Structures are given as structure tokens and as C-alpha cells.
Amino acid sequence: MVGRISGSYNFMSVYTGGYGGSALSANRAGAAQKTVVNPGESMNVSPGRKSSPAQCQTCKNRKYQDGSDEMVSFKSAAHISPENSASRVMAHEQEHVSNAYSKAAKAGGKVVSASVSLKTSICPECGRSYVAGGTTSTQIKYPNEKNPYSQNKKNLDAVSLIGSNLDIAV
């Protein structure tokens, strides 16, 4: 650095708002006057974020919709708050699990496995975490005696077992 160094410059005023009215403190005052779209949320803006959780338009406008062909909730797009997203999405995914058990019971099948996974994300505007969606995986085993593949498998099993338990008395 070339030039004279003096102790009269307050370098912290750029970062903390300094004394009186710096540009940063004016921005903070303007942020406090913005409208609140998410009541009850924090008005603090996190570093590197555009808005506070109370002023976040992205969280206010986020909608969830189910893309499956089953009759479950969220067939039409609906809003869920970030605080309730985990419980509401998990309840929705449990509807899919319940449908799998009903489907298996009607056709004489058995649910071999059912698992639910939730996907989380971070709001790019305010930095709040939320559950972005979920996936349900189910496996159902149906007894099908008319299926030629299952008949061939049973015949092969029978052929391999013939003579394996042979008792010979002399």
C-alpha cells in the first residue's frame, strides 16, 4: 500500500454499521420496513441470503404435488410451511404404504418391504431447510400358480430334491 497511514479511519464501520448512518445500517432499516409474508418467522437476514425467513417469497409460494397414479393427498398443488413439511410429507408417503398393504390384501399378496425416504433442501432465498419431497418403495409378492415361470421353478425345485433324502434299509 502506498500512501500515508493514519489512525483516523474506522475500518469496522464498513462491516458493522459504524457510527451514525452508514449504507449498511440504512439497508438494515429498509429491510425491517419490508412486508412480512411469513408471520412468526425471524426478521434476521443470514449472511449471503437475499431475505429473512419472515420475508421469503420463495417459502411463501412453494407448493407440493403428488405425481403418482394412486388416490392420495396432494393430487392438486398445495402449500406446506417449511416447519410442517417433514410431518406432512411423511404422512403423505405413509398413504402410499397403506395403499400397498390394501392392494396386497385384495389380491392375496404379501408386502415384502416398504420404505420411505424424505428429501431435504435449503431455500436459496432465506437459507431455511425444509423437506422437499419423498419417495416410497414397496415390494409385493403375489402367489401366482398360473404363471408358467413359477410353475417351471417349482418343477425344477422338485427335480433337484428327488433322491436327496433316501433311506435304504438292508
Side-chain angles (χ1 to χ4, degrees), residues 4-165:
R4 191 170 156 219
I5 300 173
S6 70
S8 64
Y9 179 69
N10 183 1
F11 67 95
M12 291 302 289
S13 66
V14 175
Y15 302 106
T16 61
Y19 305 106
S22 72
L24 188 59
S25 63
N27 284 343
R28 286 186 184 155
Q33 294 173 355
K34 288 185 179 179
T35 59
V36 174
V37 293
N38 299 312
E41 296 296 329
S42 171
M43 290 295 290
N44 296 334
V45 179
S46 298
R49 300 297 177 185
K50 296 177 188 175
S51 69
S52 69
Q55 301 162 342
C56 183
Q57 288 292 329
T58 305
C59 289
K60 179 187 175 208
N61 297 327
R62 183 176 299 114
K63 298 197 182 283
Y64 292 79
Q65 185 171 8
D66 180 65
S68 70
D69 57 353
E70 294 183 38
M71 291 307 299
V72 290
S73 59
F74 297 109
K75 290 313 270 181
S76 60
H79 172 74
I80 303 174
S81 68
E83 299 82 24
N84 296 331
S85 62
S87 60
R88 296 280 305 270
V89 171
M90 180 56 94
H92 168 80
E93 296 302 327
Q94 288 299 324
E95 289 179 50
H96 289 292
V97 172
S98 177
N99 287 348
Y101 276 95
S102 298
K103 183 179 175 183
K106 286 179 185 174
K110 178 182 176 184
V111 176
V112 177
S113 73
S115 66
V116 172
S117 64
L118 299 180
K119 297 173 182 109
T120 59
S121 189
I122 304 291
C123 178
E125 186 177 345
C126 68
R128 207 169 10 176
S129 65
Y130 64 97
V131 173
T135 305
T136 300
S137 300
T138 56
Q139 291 182 343
I140 303 173
K141 181 179 178 184
Y142 295 100
N144 191 354
E145 297 297 325
K146 297 177 185 173
N147 186 347
Y149 294 108
S150 63
Q151 286 296 322
N152 285 341
K153 182 165 177 22
K154 286 181 182 181
N155 290 337
L156 274 172
D157 289 342
V159 168
S160 66
L161 293 174
I162 294 174
S164 62
N165 295 324

